[in-house]
């Protein structure tokens, strides 16, 4: 049986709570909107897989996080469009791009071509966009990126649920750097 999965960058609890408060603020101003109940995350890719295929993907994720280093990024750009979201600054975006490319090239799936961002609301109507402008004018926070998560879509609740977290261990990064310089 095929299930639908996503691989995401999973933030620390205080970022999850911060975005819950942003969504509450937006809801109180504009009413119902897409992604209202979604937990904060940065989508890397989505895919469908059998249980057997999933085991192979989990093995690949374990290899990926072994060489990934944690990093910090400043999120300070709010984009008001059909999708209301917050983006990292230039330096942070470069760190995220490397991670996103690494995972997206290693695992087959529906490639998400967007840059790293944290969504507040999706599928906003023009009047909702207009009413939300300036709600989040002073957004600036640090995002400590140190793990990715594998999630499975639960049709009963219409949301993804975390199956497994993959913390970055950076164990092989030194060995890999040494190997690369030898060639």
């Amino acid at each position: 049986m095929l299930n639908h999965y996503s691989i995401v960058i999973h933030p620390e609890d205080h970022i999850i709570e911060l975005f819950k408060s942003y969504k509450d603020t937006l809801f109180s101003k504009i009413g119902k909107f897409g992604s209202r109940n979604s937990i904060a995350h940065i989508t890397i890719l989505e895919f469908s897989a059998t249980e057997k295929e999933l085991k192979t993907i989990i093995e690949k994720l374990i290899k990926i996080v072994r060489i990934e280093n944690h990093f910090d990024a400043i999120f300070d750009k709010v984009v008001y469009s059909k999708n209301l979201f917050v983006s990292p600054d230039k330096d942070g975006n470069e760190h995220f791009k490397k991670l996103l490319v690494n995972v997206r090239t290693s695992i087959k799936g529906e490639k998400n071509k967007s840059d790293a961002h944290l969504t507040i609301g999706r599928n906003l109507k023009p009047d909702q966009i207009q009413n939300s402008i300036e709600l989040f004018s002073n957004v600036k926070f640090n995002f400590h990126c140190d793990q990715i998560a594998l999630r499975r879509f639960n049709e009963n609740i219409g949301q993804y649920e975390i199956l497994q977290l993959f913390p970055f261990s950076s164990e092989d990064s030194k060995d890999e750097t040494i190997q690369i310089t030898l060639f």
Side-chain angles (χ1 to χ4, degrees):
M1 178 176 142
L2 281 179
N3 286 305
H4 197 67
Y5 300 91
S6 71
I7 299 170
V8 301
I9 297 169
H10 187 69
E12 295 175 304
D13 289 344
H14 71 95
I15 299 293
I16 291 170
E17 288 303 314
L18 177 65
F19 271 76
K20 184 181 180 312
S21 74
Y22 288 166
K23 289 171 185 266
D24 290 346
T25 298
L26 184 61
F27 180 76
S28 69
K29 182 73 173 177
I30 68 169
K32 188 176 175 180
F33 59 89
S35 80
R36 166 80 170 112
N37 298 318
S38 178
I39 295 172
H41 65 278
I42 297 171
T43 302
I44 300 173
L45 64 88
E46 297 178 355
F47 62 94
S48 295
T50 64
E51 288 297 318
K52 184 179 177 182
E53 293 166 329
L54 185 63
K55 288 179 184 176
T56 302
I57 290 167
I58 290 172
E59 289 170 7
K60 288 181 180 182
L61 289 172
I62 290 169
K63 287 179 183 177
I64 290 168
V65 298
R66 249 193 247 144
I67 62 170
E68 285 298 331
N69 293 306
H70 63 89
F71 61 89
D72 291 310
I74 301 295
F75 277 71
D76 61 356
K77 295 181 183 105
V78 179
V79 177
Y80 292 88
S81 66
K82 184 177 179 184
N83 299 318
L84 175 59
F85 58 90
V86 185
S87 296
D89 64 11
K90 185 178 176 182
D91 291 338
N93 195 44
E94 291 304 313
H95 285 294
F96 280 112
K97 276 185 182 180
K98 290 175 187 171
L99 173 59
L100 297 177
V101 167
N102 188 15
V103 176
R104 289 173 181 166
T105 56
S106 300
I107 297 173
K108 291 182 181 178
E110 301 161 23
K111 305 296 185 208
N112 180 337
K113 293 182 172 50
S114 65
D115 288 338
H117 64 276
L118 290 160
T119 301
I120 299 172
R122 292 197 185 283
N123 302 319
L124 301 181
K125 298 173 185 148
D127 63 314
Q128 289 177 312
I129 296 166
Q130 190 62 38
N131 288 332
S132 66
I133 291 177
E134 299 305 319
L135 273 181
F136 307 102
S137 58
N138 294 320
V139 170
K140 184 174 183 177
F141 57 87
N142 185 59
F143 186 106
H144 182 68
C145 184
D146 65 351
Q147 64 184 349
I148 56 178
L150 173 65
R151 306 180 316 164
R152 180 175 44 217
F153 188 73
N154 181 332
E155 291 184 20
N156 295 327
I157 61 171
Q159 295 290 327
Y160 283 94
E161 297 177 311
I162 294 175
L163 288 181
Q164 188 171 346
L165 292 172
F166 297 86
F168 300 166
S169 63
S170 309
E171 0 176 297
D172 295 340
S173 61
K174 291 177 186 171
D175 293 339
E176 189 169 285
T177 303
I178 291 167
Q179 287 178 354
I180 290 169
T181 58
L182 292 174
F183 293 101

Coordinates of all heavy atoms in Angstrom, one line a residue, residues 107-142:
I107 N 17.0 11.8 -2.7 CA 15.7 11.1 -2.6 C 14.8 11.5 -3.7 O 14.5 12.7 -3.9 CB 15.1 11.3 -1.2 CG1 16.1 10.8 -0.1 CG2 13.7 10.7 -1.0 CD1 15.7 11.1 1.3
K108 N 14.2 10.5 -4.3 CA 13.2 10.7 -5.4 C 11.9 11.1 -4.7 O 11.5 10.6 -3.7 CB 13.0 9.5 -6.2 CG 14.1 9.1 -7.1 CD 13.8 7.9 -7.9 CE 15.0 7.5 -8.7 NZ 14.7 6.3 -9.5
G109 N 11.3 12.1 -5.4 CA 10.0 12.5 -4.9 C 9.5 13.7 -5.7 O 10.1 14.1 -6.6
E110 N 8.4 14.3 -5.2 CA 7.8 15.5 -5.8 C 8.7 16.6 -5.3 O 8.6 17.0 -4.2 CB 6.4 15.7 -5.4 CG 5.5 14.5 -5.9 CD 4.2 14.5 -5.1 OE1 3.7 15.5 -4.6 OE2 3.6 13.4 -5.0
K111 N 9.6 17.1 -6.2 CA 10.5 18.1 -5.7 C 9.8 19.4 -5.5 O 9.1 20.0 -6.3 CB 11.6 18.3 -6.8 CG 12.4 17.1 -7.2 CD 13.1 16.5 -6.1 CE 14.0 15.3 -6.6 NZ 14.2 14.3 -5.7
N112 N 10.0 19.9 -4.3 CA 9.6 21.2 -3.9 C 10.7 22.2 -4.4 O 11.8 22.1 -3.9 CB 9.4 21.3 -2.4 CG 8.9 22.6 -2.0 OD1 9.0 23.6 -2.6 ND2 8.3 22.6 -0.8
K113 N 10.3 23.1 -5.3 CA 11.4 23.9 -5.9 C 11.5 25.2 -5.1 O 12.4 26.1 -5.5 CB 11.0 24.2 -7.4 CG 11.2 23.0 -8.2 CD 10.9 23.3 -9.7 CE 11.2 22.2 -10.6 NZ 10.7 20.9 -10.5
S114 N 10.7 25.4 -4.1 CA 10.8 26.7 -3.4 C 12.0 26.8 -2.4 O 12.5 25.7 -2.0 CB 9.5 26.9 -2.6 OG 9.4 26.0 -1.6
D115 N 12.4 28.0 -2.1 CA 13.4 28.2 -1.2 C 12.9 27.9 0.2 O 11.6 27.9 0.4 CB 14.0 29.6 -1.2 CG 14.8 29.9 -2.5 OD1 15.4 28.9 -3.1 OD2 15.0 31.0 -2.9
A116 N 13.7 27.9 1.2 CA 13.3 27.7 2.6 C 12.4 28.8 3.0 O 12.8 30.0 2.8 CB 14.5 27.5 3.5
H117 N 11.3 28.5 3.7 CA 10.4 29.5 4.3 C 9.5 28.8 5.3 O 9.4 27.6 5.2 CB 9.6 30.2 3.2 CG 8.7 29.3 2.5 ND1 9.0 28.5 1.4 CD2 7.3 29.0 2.7 CE1 8.0 27.8 1.0 NE2 7.0 28.1 1.8
L118 N 9.0 29.6 6.2 CA 8.0 29.1 7.2 C 6.7 29.8 6.9 O 6.6 31.0 6.9 CB 8.5 29.4 8.6 CG 9.7 28.6 9.0 CD1 10.4 29.4 10.2 CD2 9.2 27.2 9.5
T119 N 5.7 29.0 6.6 CA 4.4 29.5 6.2 C 3.5 29.9 7.4 O 3.4 29.1 8.3 CB 3.6 28.5 5.3 OG1 4.4 28.2 4.1 CG2 2.3 29.0 4.8
I120 N 2.9 31.1 7.2 CA 1.9 31.5 8.2 C 0.5 31.1 7.7 O -0.3 30.5 8.4 CB 1.9 33.0 8.5 CG1 3.3 33.3 9.1 CG2 0.8 33.4 9.5 CD1 3.6 34.8 9.3
G121 N 0.2 31.4 6.4 CA -1.1 31.1 5.8 C -1.0 30.8 4.3 O -0.1 31.4 3.7
R122 N -1.8 29.9 3.8 CA -1.8 29.6 2.4 C -3.1 29.9 1.8 O -4.2 30.0 2.4 CB -1.6 28.1 2.2 CG -0.2 27.6 2.6 CD 0.0 26.2 2.0 NE 1.3 25.7 2.4 CZ 2.4 26.0 2.0 NH1 2.5 27.0 1.0 NH2 3.5 25.5 2.4
N123 N -3.1 30.1 0.4 CA -4.3 30.3 -0.4 C -5.1 31.5 0.1 O -6.4 31.3 0.2 CB -5.1 29.0 -0.5 CG -4.3 27.8 -1.0 OD1 -3.5 28.0 -1.9 ND2 -4.5 26.7 -0.4
L124 N -4.5 32.6 0.4 CA -5.2 33.7 0.9 C -5.9 34.4 -0.3 O -5.3 34.5 -1.4 CB -4.2 34.7 1.5 CG -3.5 34.2 2.8 CD1 -2.6 35.3 3.3 CD2 -4.4 33.7 3.8
K125 N -7.0 34.9 -0.1 CA -7.8 35.7 -1.1 C -7.3 37.1 -1.0 O -6.7 37.6 0.0 CB -9.3 35.7 -0.7 CG -9.9 34.3 -0.8 CD -11.3 34.3 -0.3 CE -11.8 32.8 -0.2 NZ -12.7 32.6 0.8
P126 N -7.5 37.9 -2.1 CA -6.9 39.3 -2.2 C -7.3 40.1 -1.0 O -6.5 40.9 -0.4 CB -7.5 39.8 -3.5 CG -7.7 38.6 -4.4 CD -8.1 37.5 -3.4
D127 N -8.6 40.0 -0.5 CA -9.0 40.8 0.6 C -8.3 40.4 1.9 O -8.0 41.2 2.8 CB -10.5 40.9 0.8 CG -11.1 39.5 1.1 OD1 -10.7 38.5 0.4 OD2 -12.0 39.4 2.0
Q128 N -8.0 39.1 2.0 CA -7.3 38.6 3.2 C -5.9 39.1 3.2 O -5.3 39.4 4.3 CB -7.4 37.0 3.2 CG -8.7 36.5 3.5 CD -8.7 34.9 3.5 OE1 -8.2 34.3 2.6 NE2 -9.3 34.3 4.5
I129 N -5.3 39.1 2.0 CA -3.9 39.6 1.9 C -3.9 41.0 2.4 O -3.0 41.5 3.2 CB -3.3 39.4 0.5 CG1 -3.2 38.0 0.1 CG2 -2.0 40.1 0.3 CD1 -3.0 37.7 -1.4
Q130 N -4.8 41.8 1.8 CA -4.8 43.3 2.1 C -5.0 43.5 3.6 O -4.4 44.3 4.2 CB -6.0 43.9 1.3 CG -6.0 45.4 1.4 CD -4.7 46.0 0.9 OE1 -4.2 45.6 -0.1 NE2 -4.2 47.1 1.5
N131 N -5.9 42.7 4.3 CA -6.2 42.8 5.7 C -5.1 42.3 6.6 O -5.0 42.6 7.8 CB -7.5 42.1 6.1 CG -8.7 42.8 5.5 OD1 -8.7 44.0 5.3 ND2 -9.8 42.1 5.2
S132 N -4.2 41.5 6.0 CA -3.1 41.0 6.8 C -1.8 41.8 6.8 O -0.9 41.6 7.6 CB -2.8 39.5 6.4 OG -2.2 39.5 5.1
I133 N -1.8 42.7 5.8 CA -0.5 43.6 5.6 C -0.3 44.3 6.9 O -1.2 44.9 7.5 CB -0.7 44.5 4.4 CG1 -0.6 43.6 3.2 CG2 0.4 45.5 4.4 CD1 -0.8 44.4 1.9
E134 N 1.0 44.3 7.3 CA 1.5 45.0 8.5 C 1.2 44.3 9.8 O 1.6 44.7 10.9 CB 1.0 46.5 8.6 CG 1.4 47.3 7.5 CD 2.9 47.3 7.3 OE1 3.7 47.4 8.2 OE2 3.3 47.3 6.1
L135 N 0.5 43.1 9.8 CA 0.3 42.3 11.0 C 1.6 41.8 11.5 O 1.8 41.7 12.7 CB -0.6 41.1 10.7 CG -2.1 41.3 10.8 CD1 -2.8 39.9 10.5 CD2 -2.5 41.8 12.1
F136 N 2.5 41.5 10.6 CA 3.8 40.9 11.0 C 5.0 41.8 10.6 O 5.9 41.3 10.0 CB 3.9 39.5 10.4 CG 2.7 38.7 10.7 CD1 1.7 38.4 9.8 CD2 2.6 38.1 12.0 CE1 0.6 37.7 10.1 CE2 1.4 37.3 12.3 CZ 0.5 37.1 11.4
S137 N 4.9 43.1 10.9 CA 5.9 44.0 10.4 C 7.2 43.9 11.2 O 8.3 44.3 10.6 CB 5.4 45.4 10.5 OG 5.0 45.7 11.8
N138 N 7.2 43.4 12.4 CA 8.5 43.3 13.2 C 9.0 41.9 13.4 O 9.5 41.6 14.5 CB 8.3 44.0 14.5 CG 8.0 45.5 14.4 OD1 8.6 46.2 13.5 ND2 7.1 46.0 15.1
V139 N 8.8 41.1 12.4 CA 9.2 39.7 12.6 C 10.7 39.5 12.4 O 11.3 40.0 11.4 CB 8.5 38.8 11.6 CG1 9.1 37.4 11.6 CG2 7.0 38.7 11.9
K140 N 11.4 39.0 13.4 CA 12.8 38.7 13.3 C 13.1 37.6 14.4 O 12.9 37.9 15.6 CB 13.7 39.9 13.5 CG 15.2 39.6 13.3 CD 16.0 40.9 13.3 CE 17.5 40.6 13.0 NZ 18.3 41.8 13.0
F141 N 13.6 36.5 14.0 CA 13.9 35.5 15.0 C 15.1 34.6 14.5 O 15.3 34.5 13.3 CB 12.7 34.6 15.3 CG 12.1 33.9 14.2 CD1 12.5 32.7 13.7 CD2 11.0 34.6 13.5 CE1 11.9 32.1 12.6 CE2 10.4 34.0 12.4 CZ 10.9 32.7 12.0
N142 N 15.7 33.9 15.4 CA 16.8 33.0 15.1 C 16.2 31.6 14.9 O 15.4 31.2 15.7 CB 17.9 33.0 16.2 CG 19.0 32.1 15.8 OD1 19.7 32.3 14.8 ND2 19.3 31.1 16.6

